[in-house]
Amino acid sequence: MFTNYSQMLSETLTSIFKKLPAKSVHAHCDGPCGVYDPSSARVTAEAVLSMTKKLIALAPAGNDQASISAYNNTFSRFVAIKEEESQKAKKELLILWTDYFKPEHLATYPDLHDTFWKAAKLCSACKVNIDQTKAEELLAAVQKIHSMFWSSKGRSDSWVTAS
Amino acid sequence: MFTNYSQMLSETLTSIFKKLPAKSVHAHCDGPCGVYDPSSARVTAEAVLSMTKKLIALAPAGNDQASISAYNNTFSRFVAIKEEESQKAKKELLILWTDYFKPEHLATYPDLHDTFWKAAKLCSACKVNIDQTKAEELLAAVQKIHSMFWSSKGRSDSWVTAS
Amino acid sequence: MFTNYSQMLSETLTSIFKKLPAKSVHAHCDGPCGVYDPSSARVTAEAVLSMTKKLIALAPAGNDQASISAYNNTFSRFVAIKEEESQKAKKELLILWTDYFKPEHLATYPDLHDTFWKAAKLCSACKVNIDQTKAEELLAAVQKIHSMFWSSKGRSDSWVTAS
Amino acid sequence: MFTNYSQMLSETLTSIFKKLPAKSVHAHCDGPCGVYDPSSARVTAEAVLSMTKKLIALAPAGNDQASISAYNNTFSRFVAIKEEESQKAKKELLILWTDYFKPEHLATYPDLHDTFWKAAKLCSACKVNIDQTKAEELLAAVQKIHSMFWSSKGRSDSWVTAS
Amino acid sequence: MFTNYSQMLSETLTSIFKKLPAKSVHAHCDGPCGVYDPSSARVTAEAVLSMTKKLIALAPAGNDQASISAYNNTFSRFVAIKEEESQKAKKELLILWTDYFKPEHLATYPDLHDTFWKAAKLCSACKVNIDQTKAEELLAAVQKIHSMFWSSKGRSDSWVTAS
Amino acid sequence: MFTNYSQMLSETLTSIFKKLPAKSVHAHCDGPCGVYDPSSARVTAEAVLSMTKKLIALAPAGNDQASISAYNNTFSRFVAIKEEESQKAKKELLILWTDYFKPEHLATYPDLHDTFWKAAKLCSACKVNIDQTKAEELLAAVQKIHSMFWSSKGRSDSWVTAS
């Protein structure tokens, strides 16, 4: 910023600036804020499981037109919410994988890549199907990542779900 | 769906359908999945506070063009992230206010509206300024809502932050 | 910005800067642009009502596979649009509530919080169901907020709908 | 839906279905809800002009670090809001152009394409620069489209701005 | 930035700054990055055609509840994906029209506006219906724009699809 | 859908339905449309490199207030666009990793996970800094993935950039 401006000023003020220590702005962290928390992935995975169960249980209240339209409205919305929450779960997991975990973690967690890849594929599977087993596997995968994450920070936070 | 179709079929099959009980699809819940959790608001409020502190601490590494551009790049990004996280915090809080809390909660929490209104206004204040006091007040407001929320469900989950 | 830079310059140029009056950038407004207008909420509430009516009137053109697929395509899209417009209506209303209205308005509009809470809950109800009564109540709630808003600015803009 | 199902039923019920008239679901409208309103574009164009003016008027309250950071925070946010509102203005205008206006309107409005193209390019110009003249030209272009739109519907709604 | 600051400094440093040549930042381009490429529109148009074909071919695996729910889940998702990809195709096309093409291109491509208008309307048609002919027309329209675009840059890139 | 309805009809029509073959809807593909193409990642990586170069070259046209504001407007926008395009590049790459590539590809591409992890981290690095080397490494990583992708489909599409 102020290319020529600062250039000229720096020529004028060289003697002063030479004394200043160069500071490194991003020493320890390539992420923006450093607030990583697997609870975001956990909440969305719980929502995926909840929507999956509700879709399985869903049935029209009657066979009149209004009941069937209500049923279709709900079915269509629940599929869309399941889709969105699966997508968010995937996104939250991949933020942990690409931004939080670093090469030095690979020694401690040699199955890091595989764990995240399978968890991400479970998110896709939960979108494509109405499959309670897959939704439960996704929640279990998030729990595994929860443990991996907190152990990497030297904490052992317990796993508490909202539902 | 199948207006004329089901109409005609129902005429044909009236005697069968009459036996079916009408089921209510949305008995207890006007939200989609029932998985509410104030941890989403908490994570974003933590991020707002983190970005605010980082913005206050930020300084260019030197007065050469590259250092100043790096500084401006980071400053501009941190403001954008603070903006986005404040917006998400507000959104997460308002989901609790508009979807989770119901008229019957007003008796127990008479300051419900005021609590959420002030918390939402703190989100705006954290966007508009770089103000650590406001960011800390926001986190405190989220903690108050955390307690309110879990007490309304008969739980007393402790307040655990990521940072 | 320019921590040490401006610090040093300010030492050099102190005598000049001391004469400058401090200006407050955000005197009267915590919002970004000051252009609030309930017409955004009105347009979306009209769209919610329109989609609700169309969903109620919708029927397949025939019972062949193509007609039924066309019907399902339209039904599914209309539910998604109703969802999106209800969500936008809620968002636009909550911007007015959290950003435009200030504590000093509470004396004039003591039911401010309750009005917005109910309007927001109507947005949710319009998503969850295909319910023309709720959609009409939502439009009426937006009209009430329209009057509240313009009266707070000393104007009495008439209520003109697009449809 | 129910490919084989409806196929078989239709064989059984052919005599009934043959009497049904085929209905066209989308007779007059290729858009989803039919609620078009140039007020959405108008509100965003007003916001673009407002932010542009505020950016021109913006100055730091002092030359201390806190004032300059506050200034930069606001400058950066206002640019982002100007960007977003310009983008929304463009989007709202293009919805009118691609979805509302039909080939039969070209006879009445032979400069339809050119009007929208120039208006869209003004949105881009308002992003790229801080240019009050362009922002005023954009608002004037939206006003022209407002008149064009309402005259095409046989209405002559007056032009009322929020600010 | 630094209103009074730079104003005062410029008074002090006038003699130096007067020597500096004014540089134009946006000489040839009103877009942000100059990387335009119709392949983004092509990929989305291919996806629209793919989803349209899959919707036409879709049928439930059986008439048990699970098969029909699976069918409805997939149908509903495919409609949503077709919607989203059609919307993206439209957006990508309109970026080329509003940002890349300039008034000087009108002499060479007198049907520029009409070509993009029809292509955008095809995107809408692909949303509203499940119509393979329209989806193929959309892909053909994108191919025409691909040729127009590259010829305007003096290149003749061949048309290679992913599927 | 139609739980009891189809249940009853299926009892009535069992003899007919038993003849129908069960079809598998998602035989070879867990993604929605099967149209994968690394060109989407390539376009965004090109944009990241372009914005990075433009940021490095950027300088104010003069030291008057208007020039400096114009400079800051452009700087701030370019950072935001670099951020957005880096994010899109990451998203497009991770779609290939999580949805296109399958366990059976690991034998042929044993460095699959590592390649994508590093490419994703390069996207983050391009956000955090203004670093032309990283932006060029990102484009090279996308080119490697382009070759990997097309070879997995038995094609050898050449690498053609837009700029």
Side-chain angles (χ1 to χ4, degrees):
Chain A
M1 186 180 266
F2 301 114
T3 316
N4 305 302
Y5 191 12
S6 63
Q7 188 183 327
M8 283 174 299
L9 284 171
S10 68
E11 283 167 10
T12 314
L13 301 169
T14 298
S15 62
I16 303 177
F17 284 120
K18 275 192 176 149
K19 294 177 256 177
L20 298 173
K23 293 207 308 182
S24 172
V25 177
H26 308 283
H28 315 293
C29 153
D30 72 348
C33 71
V35 182
Y36 297 104
D37 192 329
S39 72
S40 305
R42 191 254 306 151
V43 170
T44 52
E46 284 189 77
V48 170
L49 178 55
S50 166
M51 296 318 300
T52 301
K53 285 179 181 171
K54 290 196 174 187
L55 276 163
I56 290 168
L58 199 65
N63 80 316
D64 56 297
Q65 178 64 15
S67 296
I68 292 171
S69 285
Y71 172 83
N72 286 338
N73 181 58
T74 303
F75 190 94
S76 187
R77 294 182 67 240
F78 282 10
V79 169
I81 295 165
K82 174 168 70 72
E83 188 87 7
E84 189 181 340
E85 296 296 321
S86 303
Q87 188 56 36
K88 277 191 203 163
K90 196 194 237 183
K91 186 186 157 196
E92 294 292 342
L93 290 171
L94 292 175
I95 286 172
L96 296 177
W97 184 60
T98 64
D99 290 347
Y100 172 71
F101 284 102
K102 306 264 178 309
E104 56 266 33
H105 291 119
L106 285 175
T108 321
Y109 310 107
D111 62 343
L112 184 82
H113 295 342
D114 196 56
T115 300
F116 276 96
W117 200 40
K118 283 178 180 155
K121 284 188 173 296
L122 282 168
C123 296
S124 297
C126 288
K127 285 201 251 184
V128 169
N129 300 301
I130 302 173
D131 186 331
Q132 188 169 336
T133 305
K134 293 289 183 193
E136 285 165 353
E137 286 175 20
L138 173 59
L139 199 56
V142 172
Q143 184 169 7
K144 180 180 175 187
I145 287 166
H146 162 97
S147 302
M148 205 179 255
F149 174 84
W150 287 118
S151 88
S152 81
K153 302 190 73 143
R155 285 169 53 167
S156 55
D157 288 45
S158 57
W159 171 256
V160 184
T161 59
S163 46
Chain B
M1 186 181 263
F2 301 114
T3 317
N4 305 302
Y5 191 12
S6 63
Q7 189 183 327
M8 282 175 299
L9 283 170
S10 68
E11 283 167 10
T12 315
L13 302 168
T14 298
S15 62
I16 303 177
F17 285 120
K18 276 194 175 146
K19 294 177 256 177
L20 297 173
K23 293 209 309 183
S24 172
V25 177
H26 307 283
H28 316 293
C29 153
D30 72 349
C33 71
V35 182
Y36 297 104
D37 192 328
S39 72
S40 305
R42 191 254 306 150
V43 170
T44 52
E46 284 189 77
V48 170
L49 179 55
S50 165
M51 297 319 300
T52 300
K53 285 179 181 170
K54 290 198 174 186
L55 276 162
I56 291 168
L58 199 66
N63 79 317
D64 57 297
Q65 178 64 14
S67 295
I68 291 171
S69 284
Y71 172 83
N72 287 338
N73 182 58
T74 303
F75 190 95
S76 187
R77 293 182 67 240
F78 281 10
V79 169
I81 294 165
K82 174 168 70 73
E83 188 87 6
E84 189 182 342
E85 295 296 321
S86 303
Q87 188 56 37
K88 277 191 203 162
K90 196 194 237 183
K91 186 187 156 195
E92 293 292 342
L93 290 171
L94 292 175
I95 286 172
L96 297 177
W97 184 61
T98 64
D99 290 347
Y100 172 71
F101 284 102
K102 306 264 177 313
E104 57 266 31
H105 290 118
L106 285 175
T108 321
Y109 311 106
D111 61 343
L112 184 81
H113 295 342
D114 195 58
T115 301
F116 276 96
W117 201 41
K118 282 177 181 155
K121 283 188 173 296
L122 282 168
C123 295
S124 297
C126 288
K127 284 202 253 184
V128 170
N129 300 300
I130 302 172
D131 187 331
Q132 188 170 335
T133 305
K134 292 288 184 196
E136 285 164 353
E137 285 175 20
L138 173 58
L139 199 56
V142 173
Q143 184 170 7
K144 180 180 176 187
I145 287 166
H146 163 98
S147 302
M148 206 179 254
F149 174 83
W150 287 117
S151 88
S152 82
K153 303 189 73 143
R155 286 169 53 167
S156 56
D157 288 46
S158 56
W159 171 256
V160 184
T161 60
S163 47
Chain C
M1 185 181 267
F2 300 114
T3 316
N4 305 302
Y5 192 10
S6 62
Q7 187 183 327
M8 283 176 299
L9 283 171
S10 70
E11 285 168 8
T12 315
L13 300 170
T14 297
S15 62
I16 302 178
F17 284 121
K18 275 190 175 150
K19 293 176 258 179
L20 297 174
K23 292 207 311 179
S24 171
V25 176
H26 306 283
H28 315 293
C29 153
D30 72 350
C33 72
V35 183
Y36 297 104
D37 192 329
S39 72
S40 304
R42 191 253 307 150
V43 170
T44 51
E46 284 189 76
V48 170
L49 178 55
S50 167
M51 297 317 299
T52 301
K53 286 179 181 171
K54 289 196 175 189
L55 277 162
I56 291 168
L58 199 65
N63 79 315
D64 56 297
Q65 177 65 13
S67 295
I68 291 172
S69 284
Y71 171 84
N72 286 339
N73 182 58
T74 303
F75 190 95
S76 188
R77 293 181 68 239
F78 282 10
V79 169
I81 295 166
K82 173 169 72 72
E83 188 87 6
E84 188 182 342
E85 296 294 321
S86 302
Q87 188 56 37
K88 278 190 202 164
K90 197 193 235 182
K91 185 187 158 195
E92 293 291 342
L93 290 172
L94 292 175
I95 285 172
L96 296 177
W97 184 61
T98 63
D99 290 347
Y100 171 72
F101 285 102
K102 308 262 177 310
E104 57 266 33
H105 290 118
L106 284 176
T108 321
Y109 310 107
D111 62 343
L112 185 81
H113 295 343
D114 195 58
T115 301
F116 276 97
W117 201 40
K118 283 178 181 157
K121 284 188 172 296
L122 282 168
C123 296
S124 297
C126 288
K127 284 202 253 185
V128 171
N129 300 301
I130 302 174
D131 186 331
Q132 188 169 336
T133 304
K134 293 289 184 195
E136 285 165 353
E137 286 175 19
L138 172 58
L139 199 56
V142 172
Q143 184 170 6
K144 180 181 176 187
I145 286 166
H146 162 98
S147 301
M148 206 178 252
F149 174 83
W150 287 118
S151 88
S152 81
K153 301 189 74 142
R155 284 169 56 166
S156 56
D157 288 45
S158 56
W159 171 256
V160 185
T161 59
S163 46
Chain D
M1 188 179 262
F2 299 116
T3 316
N4 306 302
Y5 191 13
S6 63
Q7 188 184 327
M8 283 176 298
L9 282 170
S10 69
E11 283 165 12
T12 315
L13 301 168
T14 297
S15 62
I16 303 178
F17 284 120
K18 275 193 176 146
K19 294 178 254 177
L20 298 173
K23 292 207 310 179
S24 171
V25 177
H26 308 283
H28 315 293
C29 154
D30 72 350
C33 71
V35 182
Y36 296 105
D37 193 327
S39 73
S40 305
R42 191 253 307 153
V43 170
T44 51
E46 285 189 75
V48 170
L49 179 55
S50 167
M51 298 318 299
T52 301
K53 286 180 181 170
K54 290 196 174 187
L55 277 163
I56 291 169
L58 199 66
N63 79 316
D64 56 298
Q65 178 65 13
S67 295
I68 291 172
S69 284
Y71 172 82
N72 286 339
N73 181 57
T74 303
F75 191 95
S76 187
R77 294 182 67 241
F78 281 11
V79 168
I81 295 166
K82 175 169 71 71
E83 189 87 6
E84 188 181 343
E85 295 295 320
S86 302
Q87 188 56 36
K88 277 191 202 164
K90 196 193 236 182
K91 185 187 158 196
E92 293 292 343
L93 290 171
L94 292 175
I95 286 172
L96 296 178
W97 184 61
T98 64
D99 290 347
Y100 171 72
F101 284 102
K102 307 263 177 314
E104 56 266 32
H105 289 119
L106 284 175
T108 321
Y109 310 107
D111 61 342
L112 184 81
H113 295 343
D114 195 58
T115 300
F116 277 97
W117 202 39
K118 283 176 181 157
K121 283 186 173 296
L122 283 167
C123 295
S124 298
C126 288
K127 284 202 251 183
V128 170
N129 301 300
I130 302 173
D131 187 331
Q132 189 170 335
T133 304
K134 293 289 185 195
E136 285 165 353
E137 285 175 20
L138 173 59
L139 199 57
V142 172
Q143 185 170 6
K144 181 181 174 184
I145 286 165
H146 163 97
S147 301
M148 205 178 254
F149 174 83
W150 286 117
S151 88
S152 82
K153 303 191 73 146
R155 285 169 55 165
S156 56
D157 288 45
S158 56
W159 171 258
V160 185
T161 59
S163 47
Chain E
M1 187 179 264
F2 300 116
T3 314
N4 306 302
Y5 191 12
S6 64
Q7 187 183 326
M8 283 176 298
L9 283 171
S10 69
E11 284 166 12
T12 316
L13 301 169
T14 297
S15 62
I16 303 177
F17 284 120
K18 275 192 176 150
K19 294 178 256 178
L20 298 173
K23 292 207 309 179
S24 171
V25 177
H26 308 283
H28 315 293
C29 154
D30 72 349
C33 72
V35 182
Y36 297 105
D37 192 329
S39 72
S40 305
R42 191 253 307 152
V43 170
T44 52
E46 284 189 76
V48 170
L49 178 55
S50 166
M51 298 318 300
T52 301
K53 285 180 181 169
K54 290 197 174 187
L55 277 163
I56 291 169
L58 199 64
N63 79 316
D64 57 298
Q65 178 64 14
S67 296
I68 291 172
S69 284
Y71 171 84
N72 286 339
N73 182 57
T74 304
F75 191 95
S76 187
R77 293 183 67 241
F78 282 9
V79 168
I81 295 165
K82 175 169 70 72
E83 188 88 6
E84 188 181 343
E85 295 296 320
S86 302
Q87 188 57 36
K88 277 191 201 163
K90 196 193 235 182
K91 185 186 158 195
E92 293 292 342
L93 290 172
L94 291 175
I95 285 172
L96 296 178
W97 184 61
T98 64
D99 290 346
Y100 171 71
F101 284 102
K102 307 264 178 312
E104 57 266 32
H105 290 120
L106 285 175
T108 321
Y109 310 107
D111 61 343
L112 185 81
H113 294 342
D114 196 57
T115 301
F116 276 97
W117 201 40
K118 283 177 181 156
K121 282 186 174 297
L122 283 167
C123 295
S124 297
C126 288
K127 284 202 253 184
V128 170
N129 300 300
I130 302 173
D131 187 330
Q132 189 170 335
T133 304
K134 293 288 184 195
E136 285 164 353
E137 285 175 20
L138 173 58
L139 199 56
V142 172
Q143 184 170 6
K144 181 181 174 185
I145 286 166
H146 163 97
S147 301
M148 206 178 253
F149 174 83
W150 287 116
S151 89
S152 82
K153 302 190 75 145
R155 285 169 54 165
S156 55
D157 289 45
S158 55
W159 171 256
V160 185
T161 60
S163 48
Chain F
M1 187 180 262
F2 300 115
T3 316
N4 306 302
Y5 192 11
S6 63
Q7 188 181 326
M8 283 175 298
L9 282 171
S10 69
E11 285 166 9
T12 315
L13 300 169
T14 297
S15 63
I16 303 177
F17 284 120
K18 275 192 175 148
K19 293 177 257 178
L20 297 173
K23 293 208 309 181
S24 171
V25 177
H26 307 282
H28 315 292
C29 153
D30 71 350
C33 72
V35 182
Y36 297 105
D37 192 329
S39 72
S40 304
R42 191 253 306 151
V43 170
T44 52
E46 285 190 75
V48 170
L49 179 55
S50 166
M51 297 319 299
T52 301
K53 285 179 181 171
K54 290 196 175 189
L55 277 163
I56 291 168
L58 199 65
N63 79 313
D64 57 297
Q65 177 64 14
S67 295
I68 290 171
S69 284
Y71 172 83
N72 286 338
N73 182 58
T74 303
F75 191 95
S76 187
R77 294 182 66 240
F78 282 10
V79 168
I81 294 165
K82 174 169 71 72
E83 188 87 7
E84 189 182 341
E85 295 295 320
S86 303
Q87 188 56 36
K88 278 190 202 164
K90 195 193 238 182
K91 186 187 157 195
E92 293 291 342
L93 290 172
L94 292 175
I95 286 172
L96 296 177
W97 184 61
T98 64
D99 290 347
Y100 171 72
F101 284 102
K102 307 262 177 314
E104 57 265 34
H105 290 119
L106 285 175
T108 322
Y109 311 106
D111 60 344
L112 186 81
H113 295 342
D114 195 58
T115 301
F116 276 97
W117 201 41
K118 283 178 181 156
K121 284 188 172 296
L122 283 168
C123 295
S124 297
C126 288
K127 284 202 255 186
V128 170
N129 300 301
I130 301 173
D131 187 331
Q132 189 169 335
T133 304
K134 292 288 185 196
E136 284 165 353
E137 286 175 19
L138 172 59
L139 198 56
V142 173
Q143 184 169 6
K144 180 180 176 187
I145 287 167
H146 162 98
S147 301
M148 205 177 252
F149 174 82
W150 287 117
S151 88
S152 81
K153 302 189 73 143
R155 284 169 56 166
S156 56
D157 288 45
S158 56
W159 171 256
V160 184
T161 60
S163 46

